[in-house]
Each structure stands twice: as structure tokens, then as C-alpha cells.
Amino acid sequence: MQTMQWPRPSDEANTELMMTDYPDEDEPAGFAGLALRPELLDALSNLGYEEPTPIQRESIPPLLEGHDLLGQAATGTGKTAAFALPLLNSLTLGTGDAGPGALVLVPTRELAEQVSQAVHRYGRGLGVRVLPVYGGQPIGRPLHALKRGVDVVVGTPGRVLDHLGRGTIDLSGVRTVVLDEADEMLDMGFAEDIEAILDQTPTERQTVLFSATMPPRIDAIARQHLREPVRIQMGRPALPPGELPKVRQSVYFVARTHKAAALGRVLDVEAPTAAIVFCRTREEVDELTEVLNGRGYRAEALHGGLSQDQRDRVMGRLRSGTTELLVATDVAARGLDIEQLTHVVNYNVPSAPEAYVHRIGRVGRAGREGSAITLAEPREQRMLTAIERLTRQPIAIENVPSVSDLRTRRLELTRASIEEKVADDDLDRFRGILARLTEERDLETVALAAIKMLHEASGGDGDDVEIPSVARGNRDKNRDQGRRWDDSRKDDHRGGPVRGRPARAGSARLFLGIGKRNGLRPQDMVGAIAGESGLSARDIGAIQIADRYTLVEVPEPAADMVIAALRRATIRGRKATVRRERPMH
Ligand code: AMP
């Protein structure tokens, strides 16, 4: 990755500028080389972060020097820490000022919560006061904190503007403004709000803009509000064919809360001989190892916190087959060459496409078959597309095994173990029992009871429940068709989804018992759905807001998940009825 000045859009030759030198196998690259305050380095070490991600390695130095920055980075790249660490590093703390020194604007309530938790975790040692503000929370709730003083405000544009209008937030002391997921904010109709907010911040501020895509509208904002920004962009040319091993690649889309269960289930069905599961942090490694051991696997943790001696012992157990799963961070796995490896599992989408290639290069060597399995949240779709572009290979989307898949598999295991026993030559000693059992029953019933007993003894049907499937984002598809989300939004004003008319193919229409009379605006609806369910704004179809109710189209596979998420949520401060639209008669 290189840092470069933002090229003009007409500068064709420069548009494929790029990132990123993924560190060599044996080149350790920790956080210590970045000029961060010791409190921040301590926080990172406590969180189990072992090295900066590529976007962090490139963004942090210029941000610490005070440059504006325009970064193209999707969720999953580590972009939050990329802007949060420099912002925290340069905060002036303890001056008693009430107004924030930094403002982060984000598109959704979920992201406001997430980013403010991240800023809090990184800045804990500095005693930083962070406040999330977003639509849906009572407007008065943050007032107390605002009066006492906050250092960082993380908010959605609409709500930040409300506070500015009421005079409850003062941005005159802001030194850094971050626009996070700027393309999503524009898609949600926040352009004017952002302009109005930036107008109320000092002109000499530092401005940072992160966006997953760089459409011309983002360029326009950058030209107007950023000063000679350093530009950081993902996007290496594709690898030449033949540089990738032949590996079966698949991805499972699951919500974060179901990840560990989904992985257990995938492993049950895949039954790897030896697998390495990559996690982001030491904590994640430890937690997942525990979960997998609880599920009956022989899993071992491998991370930078272990001594060389401990690492050697873990490796020895994997090589000898005593252990079947290694749960590791990238740093700990660097330089390992494991002959018998059959599966590489990405518990998260890696922070850079190059990391993915490094990881999966560990299987499928020397003509052997290998599998690469990735668990992804719907939001991480962009990173997967970037990986597919780099490798020029598709990653197949699979469904998490259902309860019935698992049952079939377990019955299959029971059958296989009986088949194995049939070959034993010491079965005769059980003939006496069989004879007594069949005095009054037929042989088949006795055999069935014995199979049942064996099946139950080896875990039986288990008490698994279905893991809800979530939709893969379809923003790229929309882009390819030249259809923009806000075009469909314009349709809404021409009537949108009329009640009773069937929803668009592949979509389901939801009914919400909240409407104009409750002050509901399209951006509230998009914010609530994106924030609560993790769908991308572009996945949400036409919205029609009537006086007392709202109809909204979402991808059919995600419909039940969105309904469940919205039922838990409050929208414009209230709980609304949420269900599928009923056909009209
Ligand atoms: P983000 O792209 O900012 O949403 O970050 C994605 C995830 O990566 C979050 O769960 C972070 O906690 C985690 N993360 C960020 N930076 C690092 C790092 N250097 N090492 C390990 N995990 C990280």
C-alpha cells in the first residue's frame, strides 16, 4: 500500500493506484513503530491486537502528522482504529472544555454505538469521554453528558444537527472530523445535513473521510471539504492465474451472534482432518478455542502471547493428530508450514485481500485438495468482492447446515460406526443376549433399539436450533445495472409500493405500524433497518410512508431476520408493529 495524493477523476492512468504491501511472512510489524501514546499501545495490547492492519499501517502516520485523509476501506479492514487511534492521540484532554475535540459522523445507530465503544476501548487509558448520539434515542438522554463535557461525539448526521439546532452541542472546539462510511451516509440522504454540520466546525480542522466506494459525489465532497488529502485505496491488480493454489472456496453469511455456533456446525459437516481457524485477536482465539472444545473438538489456541516452547508443543500435537483444530492469529501462524492441513477457516473476513491469499495458500499444496471456508457478516460483502477481484476466483456462497442436515450427518456417522463393528471378530460373545432379547420380540425391533442407544450415546440428535440465514448484500448487483438506491427512493414519491401489489421479485414487503404522523422519514427507516439488521442501505428497496403505516421492501431471504430485529428496536422513540404485509382482498 502506498499513500498518495488524491488523483483527479480525469486522471485515468492513475485510477488503479494502489495499496498494499502485505508484510512478508517473517517480517514482524507491530504497533510499536507507530508514534502512538503509550496508553494507546497498552490498550491495543490488552485487546489482543498483534499488528496493524494494512489500512491502519498506512493511515495512522499521515493522520498523526495532521493531514486530511481520503480512505477507501470497507467494514472489516480495521478502519475504525485507523481513524480513532490518531484522533485519540491528538486530543487535548483535561482542559475542562465542555465541547468535543473530535466528531465522528456515521450513517446508522448501530455504527454510532459500535464506533463509540471502539473509541472508548482504545481511549480508556487516557480517560476519554465518548458520547454516541443517534436518532431513536430520547433527545434529552445525552444532555447530561454534554453538559459535563465530552471529548468525542459519534453521531448520525440528523441527530447531531438536531443538537446543533437546540444549542446542546458546540462544535467550535472540534479539531478532527471523521466522515465514516460516507457513501452510505449519502445514500441515506444525509448530504445536506453533513454540509450543515461541517459549516459549524472550525475551518482549520483535520477532516478524514472513509468510504467503501468512491462515486463522484464523494469526490465532490472531498474537493470541497478536504485539504490536499492523502489518499489511501485498496485495489491491487488481480493476481496472475496460477499464483493461487487450487482450493475449494466457500463463504457462509451469518450474523455475528451466531458465528461460533455456525462454525461448529460447518465443521461437523466438513469433518476436517486438520484445520487452522484464523481469528483477529488473542481474545477471540481464546474464546473460540473454548467454544470448539466444548463442542467436542480437540482445538488448540495459538497466538503471540505463547512462548516458543508452548507453540512448538501445540504444533507437535497438530502434526501427530492429537489436535485437529488450530485457532490462531495471523501473526502466530506466520511462517508455519503444516503438511497435513486440509482446511483453512477465516472466522472473520481478513482485513486485506492479500491476507486472505496468504492464509489459503496453506492448503491445496502439491496438488492435494484443500478447502477455504470464510464466515462473513452481511456488511463484509465488499471485502469479499475485493478478494474475488484479486484472486479472479469466485467464492461459493453456502448455507449454514440446517438442523436436518446435522441430523442426517449424525445418523450417517452412527451407521458408519455400526458398519465398522460388523467387521469385528469378537461379536459371538453377545449372541446369548441377542437370543434372550429375541425370545419375545422380532430381530428388527431389537436391532432398532440397539441403534437408537448407540445414536443417543454419541450425542443423538442434539438440541440444535436453526441458525437464521442472512442475505448477502446486493449493492454490487445494483451498481452493475446502473440502478442507484436513491433512484428507487424517488419512485417512492410516485407511489412506491402500493398496498396489495406484489413486491418486486426476490423481495418481501414488510408492514410497520408507524408512519408520517409519528414523524417517520425514509432515512429513519433505512437507518433502523441497516442499524438493527446489518443489511446495507442499498439492500433496502422501495419505501412508502403513509400517515399511519409504512411499507418497505427487503430481500426475501433476510425478511424474517429484519422483522425480528425491528421488533426489538425502537423507531422514532416507539415500538412499532412489524410483520409481512398481508394480501388485500
Ligand atoms: P472495522 O473494519 O473497523 O469495523 O474493524 C473490524 C474488526 O477488526 C473489529 O472487530 C476490530 O476490533 C478488529 N480490529 C481492528 N484492528 C485490528 C488489529 N490491528 N488487529 C486485530 N483486530 C483488529
Side-chain angles (χ1 to χ4, degrees):
M1 174 151 72
Q2 291 168 7
T3 32
M4 303 223 169
Q5 298 300 309
W6 178 229
R8 299 294 157 221
S10 58
D11 195 356
E12 291 272 338
N14 255 348
T15 47
E16 264 299 304
L17 288 177
M18 43 21 165
M19 94 174 227
T20 125
D21 293 324
Y22 195 72
D24 290 339
E25 285 276 312
D26 41 24
E27 178 193 305
F31 278 99
L34 303 172
L36 291 168
R37 294 187 191 184
E39 294 91 336
L40 295 175
L41 293 177
D42 283 350
L44 295 172
S45 156
N46 290 337
L47 286 168
Y49 290 11
E50 298 191 324
E51 61 175 357
T53 65
I55 199 84
Q56 292 163 2
R57 207 170 324 117
E58 295 309 314
S59 306
I60 293 174
L63 286 177
L64 288 175
E65 284 171 16
H67 291 284
D68 282 5
L69 185 137
L70 183 55
Q72 181 165 1
T75 298
T77 52
K79 66 180 162 62
T80 313
F83 65 72
L85 293 169
L87 168 163
L88 287 164
N89 204 74
S90 49
L91 276 180
T92 319
L93 297 163
T95 56
D97 288 348
L103 171 70
V104 183
L105 293 177
V106 296
T108 62
R109 153 205 181 137
E110 187 205 34
L111 203 59
E113 291 279 12
Q114 256 178 40
V115 169
S116 81
Q117 279 162 15
V119 173
H120 174 73
R121 281 199 306 266
Y122 303 141
R124 188 173 301 191
L126 297 169
V128 166
R129 299 162 301 174
V130 192
L131 183 71
V133 297
Y134 46 77
Q137 74 183 170
I139 187 117
R141 192 191 295 164
L143 291 185
H144 194 54
L146 284 166
K147 271 204 198 98
R148 265 182 317 181
V150 293
D151 302 303
V152 183
V153 167
V154 183
T156 51
R159 184 49 66 100
V160 170
L161 202 58
D162 284 350
H163 278 286
L164 285 172
R166 288 163 186 252
T168 42
I169 289 186
D170 170 16
L171 297 182
S172 62
V174 162
R175 292 170 54 188
T176 306
V177 175
V178 180
L179 307 177
D180 189 19
E181 304 208 350
D183 52 355
E184 291 269 334
M185 289 201 280
L186 296 192
D187 277 347
M188 290 169 68
F190 282 137
E192 284 174 17
D193 292 0
I194 293 172
E195 299 270 337
I197 294 166
L198 287 176
D199 277 350
Q200 300 209 28
T201 61
T203 46
E204 65 278 10
R205 62 168 197 266
Q206 178 183 42
T207 314
V208 184
L209 186 156
F210 274 107
S211 185
T213 58
M214 286 289 165
R217 291 184 308 157
I218 296 281
D219 186 43
I221 290 212
R223 281 166 195 262
Q224 200 180 341
H225 297 288
L226 272 63
R227 267 174 310 173
E228 297 179 3
V230 166
R231 185 197 191 201
I232 294 179
Q233 183 193 7
M234 315 276 292
R236 262 205 167 174
L239 289 177
E243 272 201 18
L244 261 186
K246 301 237 172 319
V247 176
R248 180 170 60 95
Q249 299 176 57
S250 42
V251 58
Y252 295 84
F253 281 94
V254 272
R256 193 182 322 180
T257 43
H258 295 301
K259 264 188 165 176
L263 177 60
R265 206 163 280 196
V266 171
L267 290 173
D268 284 355
V269 172
E270 289 271 335
T273 311
I276 184 160
V277 183
F278 283 100
C279 292
R280 282 190 177 126
T281 65
R282 288 177 201 176
E283 278 62 28
E284 204 168 69
V285 165
D286 286 336
E287 277 167 28
L288 190 62
T289 308
E290 222 176 287
V291 171
L292 292 172
N293 279 318
R295 209 179 160 90
Y297 284 100
R298 290 162 297 165
E300 296 259 11
L302 192 72
H303 54 56
L306 301 183
S307 70
Q308 189 56 42
D309 212 33
Q310 288 169 312
R311 288 168 50 118
D312 290 346
R313 260 181 277 145
V314 171
M315 292 307 302
R317 285 197 288 271
L318 188 77
R319 292 206 168 94
S320 66
T322 318
T323 289
E324 55 204 352
L325 294 178
L326 211 59
V327 187
T329 56
D330 279 304
V331 171
R334 205 160 281 161
L336 288 186
D337 189 14
I338 310 159
E339 264 283 303
Q340 36 299 70
L341 215 56
T342 54
H343 288 68
V344 164
V345 179
N346 300 302
Y347 190 57
N348 307 285
V349 180
S351 62
E354 289 76 8
Y356 178 87
V357 176
H358 269 257
R359 288 179 181 181
I360 73 165
R362 296 172 185 286
V363 287
R365 288 187 180 167
R368 278 180 294 122
E369 283 204 1
S371 289
I373 292 168
T374 302
L375 297 191
E377 292 170 44
R379 303 176 62 91
E380 291 171 323
Q381 167 64 34
R382 294 209 155 269
M383 280 299 286
L384 284 169
T385 311
I387 291 168
E388 287 177 323
R389 209 177 300 129
L390 176 72
T391 62
R392 287 203 232 149
Q393 292 185 358
I395 304 177
I397 304 173
E398 308 278 354
N399 292 321
V400 175
S402 64
V403 171
S404 114
D405 293 337
L406 282 186
R407 290 197 175 148
T408 309
R409 168 90 192 148
R410 289 187 185 129
L411 285 171
E412 177 56 25
L413 288 175
T414 301
R415 188 198 57 76
S417 44
I418 293 176
E419 221 157 53
E420 233 173 76
K421 279 285 167 225
V422 169
D424 283 4
D425 49 16
D426 63 346
L427 296 178
D428 277 343
R429 66 194 181 100
F430 301 104
R431 281 199 192 276
I433 302 184
L434 187 63
R436 280 184 46 202
L437 284 168
T438 48
E439 273 166 18
E440 287 174 14
R441 300 165 201 86
D442 63 87
L443 191 61
E444 192 174 289
T445 310
V446 174
L448 289 173
I451 294 172
K452 181 177 179 213
M453 221 176 113
L454 170 70
H455 189 63
E456 285 174 354
S458 54
D461 286 339
D463 49 6
D464 298 281
V465 288
E466 295 294 358
I467 294 178
S469 62
V470 289
R472 167 188 171 130
N474 60 4
R475 21 200 311 176
D476 293 324
K477 199 172 76 212
N478 290 343
R479 168 145 313 127
D480 291 344
Q481 293 166 347
R483 172 190 163 268
R484 291 207 48 81
W485 183 91
D486 33 8
D487 292 343
S488 80
R489 198 56 27 97
K490 279 182 210 132
D491 289 342
D492 306 345
H493 302 303
R494 283 187 266 124
V498 172
R499 274 197 95 175
R501 192 191 284 168
R504 223 171 341 137
S507 296
R509 191 176 300 143
L510 309 187
F511 170 97
L512 285 92
I514 178 171
K516 274 193 203 120
R517 58 167 15 209
N518 312 108
L520 188 76
R521 302 165 305 170
Q523 58 262 48
D524 300 322
M525 206 53 253
V526 177
I529 296 178
E532 298 296 334
S533 73
L535 278 192
S536 157
R538 287 191 183 97
D539 294 331
I540 302 163
I543 297 177
Q544 181 190 13
I545 302 186
D547 199 34
R548 290 162 185 271
Y549 68 88
T550 295
L551 299 175
V552 55
E553 290 182 358
V554 297
E556 173 60 51
D560 291 332
M561 188 260 301
V562 172
I563 292 173
L566 289 178
R567 282 184 180 156
R568 285 194 302 270
T570 45
I571 307 170
R572 298 291 295 177
R574 54 173 52 231
K575 290 259 177 207
T577 311
V578 187
R579 56 172 165 77
R580 282 175 189 265
E581 184 198 19
R582 293 196 186 112
M584 301 238 295
H585 298 291

